[in-house]
Amino acid sequence: MLTLISDIIASNLFLFRVLASVLIFLAFWIFKSSVTKGIVKVLEKLLNRKRQIADHSTLTFVLTPLKSLLAVSGLYFALINLHLPAGFNQFLLKAYRISFIIVITWILLRLCDCASGSFFQFSSKLDEHLDVNLNKTLMTFLKKIVKVLIFTVSGIAILSETGTNVTTIITGIGLGGLTFALAAQDTAQNLFGGMVILFDRPFAVDDWISTPDIEGVVEDITFRSTRIRTFPNALVIVPNSSLVSSPITNWSRMNKRRASFSIGLTYDTPKEKMETCVSRITEMVNQNPEIIPEDTVIRFNSFKDSSLEISLVFFTRPTSFADFQRIKEAVNYGIMQIVEEEGLSFAFPTQTLYVNNLSK
């Protein structure tokens, strides 16, 4: 009789524990959203007490994985409440701790994404006020490095929880990393070249550059290579190691653009007309508001085989190719008009042949 009563009590006690476990899990499941929102509100007040550090949407995005942690916690405490065998409880504890590590890793990765976005905005403000250009490609690369470190630490922690000898694995990774580094010297050189480009900034995206081997407009810069669109519209991918080891001319960094050419007048041009022509051309060029008058040099330069040469050197304020050609065209039309008004003529290659007629 006593045995029957104890069996009934034990059975009812187990049913009570099952019911309590279900209630524990449901409580965690139902209130996980409310608890997460409460944590978000508390952190929002603490972080933004003196100045705006993180808005509500950012904190919500970062801490959303807490819901999964609370759900897993509810499942863990519900199973522990059943008083299962000790070995199974140890397994549950390891699984719970691994879940905790995974959720924390998830939160850190989201925090890394939000922090990098905030830093991009901060660097844009620096660009406007302090003329400091923090390259977005560099920050993206640093974000990837941080994520790799987070994954690495998380993986080591999980392996440690499973009872794996982490020291042996790290030693093996170190030896393998050394072998890989020796086999990837070219990649390392390109990576270093990419760092040089991003830190030293000899050029940026959309810049017109030229080297002894290539000329074109930069379309993209990565840590391995740089993509350059040549003027025939071909896309050339240049390894960064070879790019930084050669002289680079950045034509987009010009603050003025030089025009240099010459015109030739015929040899029958009088001295007074030549002086007037040079003076009027100089005046016409300097009156153009897109030309820098201080740098203009226009002179009767030399006696050529078939012409009297006038050399022109001036600098335009706009540096783009289209504007530069437009300004040169306007100058050429002005020169034609002045030469015509002065009654002069442009020279072209001619030869005079003298024939000596010797009588016998």
Side-chain angles (χ1 to χ4, degrees):
M1 185 67 179
L2 292 174
T3 303
L4 180 61
I5 293 173
S6 62
D7 290 341
I8 294 173
I9 294 174
S11 177
N12 290 333
L13 182 61
F14 180 75
L15 291 175
F16 175 76
R17 286 176 179 170
V18 170
L19 180 61
S21 295
V22 172
L23 292 176
I24 291 172
F25 177 75
L26 289 177
F28 274 87
W29 182 266
I30 292 171
F31 292 105
K32 60 185 177 67
S33 297
S34 301
V35 172
T36 303
K37 290 179 181 178
I39 295 174
V40 169
K41 289 182 180 179
V42 172
L43 286 177
E44 187 176 3
K45 290 181 180 179
L46 291 175
L47 295 176
N48 302 325
R49 181 175 297 176
K50 294 183 179 180
R51 61 176 182 171
Q52 183 74 22
I53 296 178
D55 56 17
H56 181 79
S57 60
T58 300
L59 289 173
T60 301
F61 172 76
V62 172
L63 297 178
T64 296
L66 283 178
K67 296 181 181 180
S68 300
L69 180 60
L70 290 172
V72 172
S73 299
L75 180 62
Y76 170 73
F77 289 117
L79 293 175
I80 289 295
N81 185 64
L82 295 177
H83 293 274
L84 298 172
F88 191 74
N89 285 339
Q90 289 294 326
F91 171 78
L92 287 177
L93 179 60
K94 287 185 178 182
Y96 177 65
R97 293 175 68 170
I98 291 174
S99 301
F100 185 85
I101 294 171
I102 292 173
V103 172
I104 295 300
T105 302
W106 190 1
I107 292 175
L108 290 176
L109 291 175
R110 290 193 168 204
L111 180 63
C112 182
D113 289 332
C114 294
S116 62
S118 301
F119 194 86
F120 289 150
Q121 296 176 358
F122 176 70
S123 65
S124 298
K125 293 180 180 179
L126 286 178
D127 290 343
E128 295 174 0
H129 296 93
L130 301 179
D131 196 24
V132 177
N133 194 353
L134 298 178
N135 193 282
K136 189 173 181 178
T137 305
L138 174 61
M139 298 313 304
T140 302
F141 179 74
L142 293 178
K143 182 179 72 173
K144 290 180 179 179
I145 291 178
V146 173
K147 284 188 173 183
V148 169
L149 291 176
I150 292 173
F151 276 118
T152 302
V153 174
S154 174
I156 292 174
I158 291 174
L159 290 174
S160 179
E161 289 296 328
T162 59
T164 305
N165 190 343
V166 179
T167 305
T168 304
I169 295 177
I170 294 176
T171 303
I173 291 175
L175 294 175
L178 178 61
T179 304
F180 178 78
L182 292 174
Q185 291 183 6
D186 291 340
T187 302
Q189 290 177 358
N190 290 328
L191 179 62
F192 179 75
M195 296 290 289
V196 170
I197 292 172
L198 292 171
F199 279 113
D200 194 41
R201 295 193 58 78
F203 56 83
V205 175
D206 295 331
D207 280 358
W208 166 28
I209 67 171
S210 64
T211 70
D213 299 321
I214 190 171
E215 180 177 6
V217 178
V218 178
E219 284 198 350
D220 189 24
I221 304 171
T222 67
F223 278 88
R224 195 196 70 82
S225 61
T226 297
R227 298 174 183 268
I228 300 175
R229 181 73 64 177
T230 62
F231 293 117
N233 204 35
L235 182 63
V236 181
I237 301 175
V238 185
N240 289 331
S241 58
S242 61
L243 192 60
V244 298
S245 62
S246 60
I248 301 173
T249 302
N250 192 332
W251 297 104
S252 297
R253 302 283 175 88
M254 294 185 294
N255 53 15
K256 57 184 178 180
R257 190 160 183 172
R258 181 175 182 265
S260 177
F261 58 95
S262 61
I263 61 173
L265 301 181
T266 57
Y267 261 92
D268 59 358
T269 303
K271 173 179 174 296
E272 295 77 10
K273 288 284 186 178
M274 176 65 77
E275 291 176 346
T276 302
C277 184
V278 171
S279 177
R280 288 190 60 185
I281 292 175
T282 303
E283 183 181 2
M284 179 269 299
V285 170
N286 288 339
Q287 285 180 349
N288 191 322
E290 294 182 301
I291 294 176
I292 303 174
E294 294 82 7
D295 297 330
T296 300
V297 178
I298 300 176
R299 291 290 185 268
F300 172 30
N301 185 43
S302 63
F303 297 89
K304 294 292 186 180
D305 292 338
S306 304
S307 65
L308 303 176
E309 183 188 62
I310 300 176
S311 67
L312 296 91
V313 178
F314 57 88
F315 290 83
T316 64
R317 301 183 194 276
T319 58
S320 68
F321 182 75
D323 289 334
F324 178 70
Q325 291 296 102
R326 174 178 54 79
I327 297 170
K328 282 182 60 179
E329 181 184 50
V331 170
N332 289 337
Y333 285 145
I335 293 172
M336 290 180 64
Q337 182 178 353
I338 291 172
V339 170
E340 182 180 354
E341 290 175 353
E342 293 295 328
L344 304 177
S345 301
F346 290 104
F348 53 89
T350 58
Q351 288 184 340
T352 302
L353 182 62
Y354 292 92
V355 179
N356 189 2
N357 188 11
L358 298 176
S359 59
K360 293 183 180 179

